[in-house]
Amino acid sequence: MDYELRRAREKLEKEQKERKDRARLRLDRDRKAKEEAKKQRDAIEAVQRSRRLDAIDAQLKADQLMQEDLLAGGGIVFSRIFEALPYQGSGDKIKLPPSCFSELSGQGAFDKGPLHFKLSVVHQEGPSNMKNSEGENLRTTHSGVLEFTADEGSVGVPPHVWSNLFPSDNTLTAPLVEVRYVRLPKGTYAKLQPDTSGFTELPNQKAILETSLRQHATLSQDDVFTVNYGELAYKLRVLELKPSSSISVLETDIEVDIVSPDEKSEGKDQYTLKPLVFGKSESGVVEEGNYVYYKFSIDNNTSENVVSGDKRIEVKIDNEIDGGDTNVYMSKHPLIFPSRHQHLWSSHDMSSKVLILSSNDKSFGVGTYSIGVYGFKGTTKFQVSVTIEDNSGRKVGQQATSSSSSVEMDTVKCRNCNHYIPSQSITLHEAFCSRHSVVCQHAGCGIVLRIDEAKNHVHCDKCGQAFQRDEMEKHMKVFHEPHSCPCGVVLEKAAMVQHQGSSCPLRLISCRFCGDMVQAGSSAMDVRDRLRGLSEHESICGSRTAPCDSCGRSVMLKDMDIHQTAVHQKS
């Protein structure tokens, strides 16, 4: 009996224990379920809270951006994203679609002065990386507007703006650009750095900069813009601007500082004038198609000696025998970099080349002269020197007088060489002359040559000039091969020299109003200015006003002579 009671009690205790364990496990499961549910609720609330904060942040950023747009645009909000398409033009003015004109006009943008825009490259990988302001190191610049003729959805970008937005060539065919209307302050100061030291050789760099900046509406810090001087082009980086990092350059006077270029770029600059000392030879090397430039100066004493006929200036270039060849061009400042088509003196000889400045040269005078050694073929080592030489004691025309007097003596004209020979020796001379000499039969030549020399004596079929046979190839390439002018005209050398001296829009002229050496430009837009013979630059430069010395009225510079004649009867 006791045994059965004990077994019943143990069974009851065991069942109670199992029930307690199941109850404890159930409580643990319920607790864990509640904790998991709480974690899920907390996570959902965190996500919802984050979304609410992101929405509030986005709204704040949108409001802030709107306020910035209103502030930057002076109350005008304009921001569009376009496909950038390049077009060939000068300056920094872009082309926008006609719809932009309507939108800007509706907000009164044209009543607030010139239009300026901020251009930013748009990242195209995803919406989270869209704009430069969100951390992407994408380029921005500023521009004006040229016209509203672009296709809808695209913006026409000139080379200057394109190179600043996309400095590398690895860009998309039609990259996206955000165009935002902004108001820019008028600039007061700019610090610029040319890429090469040759820019410092230009006369009156600030006047050249002023001419180039007439095609620009804005400047932005870190931008690079190109300054053209004749056929030469220089790149300048904008280091600093005032009063802000982006300025308007329209109708404002800007103080400009030009700093020295980086040392890395100086060695690569072929447009640097190396000084020459009279009587001292300098060595040089020039690559095919490149120039090496030198300069020397003539003072008053030297000029007087040359003008009087006692002295002459000789510029000599000797090529080393290494298969290369050069041409030499020389000019007088302000034309500082003579080229194949712009020069006053030149030599295309195969061997040594000598240029002589004498009293007979109308262009000779006191000043600085430039020598351009052009690599015509291969890599050429050369020696260049400038010397002052004494003229011989013979006067000009003395030899001619002596010959004339000899003709009056008892002389006979040789039937072979047409020279006048004393009659007592004419028979012997003609016998010798007919065996060893021959007269060139080319029309207008008539030069007497030894028979062995006559084989190499040839005439150009186009111009008729006489040369040695080995010189003909160079003559044809230099004088008769078509050359391309940077303005787009293709002509032979003679016509090209005339073109670049009289009608090329890139030719350098001395402006009659500002006195600076500037590019002439194309024909003046005004018919009256064309009749006056004014170039495009002179037409624009002469439109500036100045007070009349007689009456104080503001008169355009190009009309000042007419005003003086018509109003004050001054001739």
Side-chain angles (χ1 to χ4, degrees), residues 16-31:
Q16 289 177 346
K17 184 180 178 182
E18 290 178 352
R19 284 196 297 269
K20 288 180 180 178
D21 290 341
R22 286 195 296 270
R24 188 167 52 253
L25 290 174
R26 195 163 48 245
L27 289 174
D28 290 341
R29 286 196 300 269
D30 292 343
R31 186 177 67 255

Side-chain angles (χ1 to χ4, degrees), residues 173-185:
T173 54
L176 298 181
V177 173
E178 181 188 36
V179 180
R180 187 184 301 274
Y181 174 87
V182 293
R183 299 281 293 167
L184 296 180

Side-chain angles (χ1 to χ4, degrees), residues 13 67 72 129 132 160 228 271 373 387 405 568:
E13 289 175 353
Q67 293 298 325
N129 297 324
N132 188 27
H160 165 77
N228 294 309
Y271 296 114
V373 182
T387 57
S405 62
H568 304 294

